[in-house]
Amino acid sequence: MSSKKSMIFQISLTRGVHYDGDSLIICLAKTSHLKEMSSKNVTSCDLLIVGAGYQGVCAFEAAAHHLPQGAHVVVIDRNNAWGGMWNNVYDYVRLHQPYKNFTAGSREWSIGITKPELYLARKGEILNHFQDIVQASVEEHDLQMTYLFSHETNNTFTTINNNTSVQVIATPINQLLTTTDAAPITITASRMINCIGFDIPFKRSLQLSTSKRIHSLTPAEVLTPNWTRTAHFSQDNKAEIWVIGSGKTSMDVMYHLAKREPHTISRIRCIAGRGTWFLNRKDTFPTDSAWEKYKPSMRTSSDIFFDILEDFNGDNEQEVYLKAASKGWMHSAIPNPSSFVLGICSEEEISVVKNVLSPANEKIIKGYFVDIQDTDSQTGHRATMILQDLKGKRYERTVPEGTIIINATDNLSEKSNRHFPVVDETGLVLSPQTLCGFSGPTATLCTHAWYANRIDKVWKFLPRLTFNVDTKSQAGLHLMAMLVLNTGVVLSVIPKDWQKKWITNQFTPQNRYPMYRLLFTGLRAKSLFPKLFKHFQNFIPERFTDDKQFKVKERSVVGGNAGVLARL
């Protein structure tokens, strides 16, 4: 076997990947489920999936039910395993929601035997669950798999054979592969699912202008051996720790530092942008309390979402958030927050971070991080932090050498606003994107509707989410509307058997309530749906049929700036 052919075959063998908390363990799959490529670097398949993150996992699981036994599936992804962003995120990350609600279809978690219902799964458990879903789908349908991990496409495809096939070129990006004679691989597919999801970029440390000793880190570098050496066993073991951002990543950094290294609490500061609201997990996901589940006056999670959406008139989001907070549905660790991106936190997490950032007037800056530069003073050169307040005025703050800067700014970026038609003009390519809010459920619903030739009935008039710094305060409401309203529309066109499976899925938060409560919630939803849908069609003018792509504006600040990092 030639070296080129051998390398391609080795990639296709990378199927069983499990995470043990410290390293990836690569397990070779049964050869009966693998497809060897030809020596000409071309292959054909029944289905091509581009993107192996959560959206790719859900699309694959749904598509497997529609593929013929023994079908050939090719998967392309930049990472070396299923998981997308979860492969590169910080090790102490946890789900926002109870783990059983984060799955593909109705696939059960292997940890379900030992973990309670409200458990928040961790990185390794999530990656293992993705692999379990894929493995079960492959074995149930005897699928033949080719994995082109560590490969990428140029986000283009061509249709050939009188618009009966799709052709894509995959290029190796792994350093090991590019040092060999591995050439780009051409894949011809009967169908293709483009699973870009939220297109979350890799988090990098901030590039600072200063020549002074300032430690610029990412959340993934926190609580690692290098962190321990720098933060605790160097000359900077008493230096201030500045966390840039106030979203879920920032919350995770401060929460886990407080839990694992409480002696660092006095050193932690936060540049919070406008401050971020979070949904209260206790109300969004019902606990095991019979009182909360059965008392008629208690609001279900759907009731809460409908209440919030009904109160929004297009420009009164701050009033909506304050009203929700007065009822205990929303909260924040930052005083007077104004941003919301549909993040979820528990009361305990908020309490811990509030304690970390107390007193707030000394440890929280409401504004944006610009840079750290060298400035001259009477005592010589020094490092100066450049900040911008919420009104746009710049000011400076001296920072000592050894200061630690952690880039915990938003994962969602204006650069992620690239969009495609949900279905191309030939009907061969599906791009679910964020049509129904969250990427995974969107892929599940759209894939079933696509295979039933019903998705074209609805996608063209459904609102499209954009992440715009100027309207960031409304982002969570827009995402919530798509999660509730767009999901309802797409659900209405999928085949009845899949509708029933979705509605009765035991893992959806709503189905934790007794039937009589679901009946009342359903009746209310039916009456409100037409009015709310019409309103949000006006509030969100963007569509997936739009010809123009979102134009990213040049920004000069980084913190709290929807992931637009000017110097990255």
Side-chain angles (χ1 to χ4, degrees), residues 507-552:
F507 302 132
T508 59
Q510 198 62 19
N511 286 334
R512 290 174 57 85
Y513 297 101
M515 185 56 67
Y516 74 88
R517 297 198 66 193
L518 296 182
L519 177 62
F520 286 113
T521 298
L523 292 173
R524 182 184 181 218
K526 186 176 181 179
S527 66
L528 284 176
F529 197 96
K531 181 183 75 171
L532 288 178
F533 186 75
K534 183 178 180 180
H535 283 173
F536 276 90
Q537 277 190 309
N538 295 326
F539 300 155
I540 309 174
E542 295 81 9
R543 300 292 181 267
F544 289 93
T545 53
D546 294 342
D547 292 328
K548 293 184 179 180
Q549 296 288 340
F550 183 88
K551 186 176 181 180
V552 179

Side-chain angles (χ1 to χ4, degrees), residues 23-188:
S23 61
L24 288 172
I25 303 173
I26 309 298
C27 310
L28 299 187
K30 297 177 182 178
T31 56
S32 62
H33 291 310
L34 299 173
K35 184 86 170 179
E36 184 175 0
M37 289 190 210
S38 72
S39 59
K40 296 181 180 179
N41 293 327
V42 297
T43 190
S44 60
C45 60
D46 299 285
L47 176 65
L48 168 64
I49 294 181
V50 179
Y54 182 38
Q55 183 159 86
V57 172
C58 290
F60 175 72
E61 196 278 339
H65 295 285
H66 301 277
L67 291 168
Q69 287 289 116
H72 180 206
V73 181
V74 175
V75 180
I76 302 173
D77 194 83
R78 291 178 56 86
N79 294 286
N80 62 3
W82 288 96
M85 60 150 295
W86 293 97
N87 286 299
N88 305 311
V89 76
Y90 44 98
D91 284 344
Y92 50 92
V93 70
R94 299 185 300 175
L95 288 174
H96 287 221
Q97 71 269 51
Y99 70 104
K100 289 186 178 181
N101 302 120
F102 188 80
T103 191
S106 56
R107 299 286 179 177
E108 296 191 27
W109 286 66
S110 61
I111 62 174
I113 300 173
T114 58
K115 300 297 184 182
E117 295 236 350
L118 299 181
Y119 176 71
L120 305 179
R122 300 176 182 275
K123 175 180 176 177
E125 295 164 331
I126 295 164
L127 290 173
N128 288 343
H129 182 52
F130 287 166
Q131 185 56 42
D132 289 343
I133 292 169
V134 171
Q135 184 168 341
S137 297
V138 168
E139 293 178 352
E140 288 170 8
H141 303 281
D142 195 30
L143 301 176
Q144 306 299 304
M145 303 298 296
T146 298
Y147 291 95
L148 291 174
F149 291 135
S150 297
H151 280 68
E152 64 181 355
T153 70
N154 61 358
N155 297 314
T156 61
F157 62 88
T158 56
T159 55
I160 59 174
N161 301 330
N162 294 321
N163 292 334
T164 60
S165 301
V166 182
Q167 194 169 81
V168 172
I169 296 175
T171 306
I173 59 174
N174 185 286
Q175 186 176 2
L176 174 64
L177 300 182
T178 55
T179 57
T180 71
D181 59 346
I185 299 166
T186 301
I187 304 100
T188 302

Side-chain angles (χ1 to χ4, degrees), residues 239-250:
E240 291 181 344
I241 302 168
W242 284 90
V243 180
I244 315 299
S246 62
K248 193 62 171 68
T249 300
S250 172

